[in-house]
Amino acid sequence: AVFIGSAHMPNVEAVKFLLKSVAPAVPEVTFGIIGSVCDAVRLVPQPRNVVLFGILSEAEKNLVLARATFAVNPMLEGGGSSLKVPDFFAARLAVVSTRVGVRGYDLNDGEHYVAAERAEFAAKTRALAGNETLRHRLANNARAFAESALDWRVLGARYRRALRSLVAPDAIRRALVVTYRFADPPSGGAETFLVNVLRELAQRGNLAVDVATCDVGTIANKWHFSAEYSAPNGAMHDPTYVGTVFRFAVDAPLEGDFARCQRLFAV
């Protein structure tokens, strides 16, 4: 069984749950963890049936996915849609997931994936591991969903229609993308999505794109609703498929930030 994640805190909590609760209860399954989330859990005691692959190249990641029997996604929180789901579906993998883990996708339990909240996650993981017929059916449905709803050609066509509705036919086409961090290779799932969108737009050759972003390197969770940004480690090299990249310094922390976070948490 495979899981993919960056060192984003919801991924860290999901992997800790796999290490502490699921893997010991399902010793017949080997759990392979991919991504920078591995660095965040290396000090957590690891059962013998867990393999931390760490950060892999695209080819290495695809090889691990090809060798996997199914995927697990025990997420309990997070913003936006979990971008590991398209990876699993494109690889034709059956998935056991919490409903939070598949948020934002029009999926049905028993048709596209197995829905399992944490109290039943180990039992449903064991059941899927032992049911080849169910795995085969879910995997085929997942791949079909990826092709019809998640493929870049489908998403790109929808995005082009949206852009055309905003731009006059004879206008000079320039776009400004505003984002919190920008680099290629990207550091996280949402950034990977943005990089792929910009590459596809550049190949069409009829839209010039500039980027405005924070001049930061790593981003770490701080308190409950906050993040702490570090300076880039060395010079940032901007990719050739965008125009100008404007990098702005992050505001310094202010006295009273923690008190404001406490009020936000109380609300």
Side-chain angles (χ1 to χ4, degrees):
V2 66
F3 177 89
I4 300 174
S6 65
H8 184 43
M9 189 54 66
N11 290 327
V12 175
E13 294 302 320
V15 172
K16 286 181 178 179
F17 172 72
L18 289 173
L19 295 178
K20 296 177 180 179
S21 301
V22 180
V26 195
E28 66 271 27
V29 173
T30 298
F31 294 84
I33 314 298
I34 301 173
S36 58
V37 67
C38 296
D39 296 329
V41 299
R42 290 194 187 278
L43 297 181
V44 179
Q46 293 160 31
R48 296 180 63 182
N49 59 327
V50 172
V51 179
L52 299 182
F53 288 103
I55 298 174
L56 302 178
S57 68
E58 189 76 8
E60 291 168 333
K61 181 192 75 173
N62 290 336
L63 181 61
V64 174
L65 291 175
R67 294 295 301 274
T69 308
F70 61 100
V72 289
N73 189 22
M75 305 284 289
L76 276 189
E77 58 181 349
S81 298
S82 181
L83 295 177
K84 55 182 67 61
V85 173
D87 267 341
F88 296 150
F89 279 22
R92 202 183 294 270
L93 288 174
V95 179
V96 183
S97 177
T98 58
R99 295 189 186 278
V100 169
V102 295
R103 63 197 180 277
Y105 301 102
D106 188 16
L107 305 178
N108 297 318
D109 177 24
E111 179 185 359
H112 301 104
Y113 77 112
V114 173
E117 299 313 312
R118 290 202 171 183
E120 57 191 358
F121 206 92
K124 290 200 173 183
T125 296
R126 171 178 284 116
L128 185 62
N131 191 333
E132 184 177 2
T133 301
L134 177 60
R135 289 200 312 271
H136 183 73
R137 178 168 60 82
L138 291 175
N140 285 338
N141 290 343
R143 173 68 190 195
F145 183 86
E147 292 176 349
S148 63
L150 305 177
D151 186 87
W152 280 111
R153 288 168 294 184
V154 176
L155 297 176
R158 188 184 308 161
Y159 201 72
R160 285 197 302 273
R161 289 193 296 271
L163 288 176
R164 286 172 181 152
S165 71
L166 299 172
V167 180
D170 56 348
I172 298 174
R173 290 172 170 82
R174 285 192 82 81
L176 176 65
V177 171
V178 182
T179 185
Y180 62 96
R181 181 172 62 178
F182 180 67
D184 192 357
S187 302
E191 292 154 276
T192 301
F193 190 91
L194 175 61
V195 163
N196 277 297
V197 168
L198 295 180
R199 285 175 179 166
E200 292 294 319
L201 290 173
Q203 287 183 8
R204 298 190 62 80
N206 58 358
L207 181 68
V209 179
D210 297 324
V211 178
T213 187
C214 299
D215 190 20
V216 299
T218 60
I219 303 174
N221 291 309
K222 185 173 183 179
W223 303 326
H224 193 85
F225 291 103
S226 304
E228 194 165 49
Y229 297 76
S230 71
N233 185 17
M236 301 292 286
H237 300 287
D238 300 329
T240 58
Y241 52 79
V242 294
T244 303
V245 178
F246 302 94
R247 299 187 182 275
F248 296 92
V250 178
D251 293 339
L254 298 175
E255 185 177 351
D257 279 350
F258 185 70
R260 281 187 283 273
C261 282
Q262 285 180 308
R263 288 200 298 273
L264 181 59
F265 185 82
V267 171

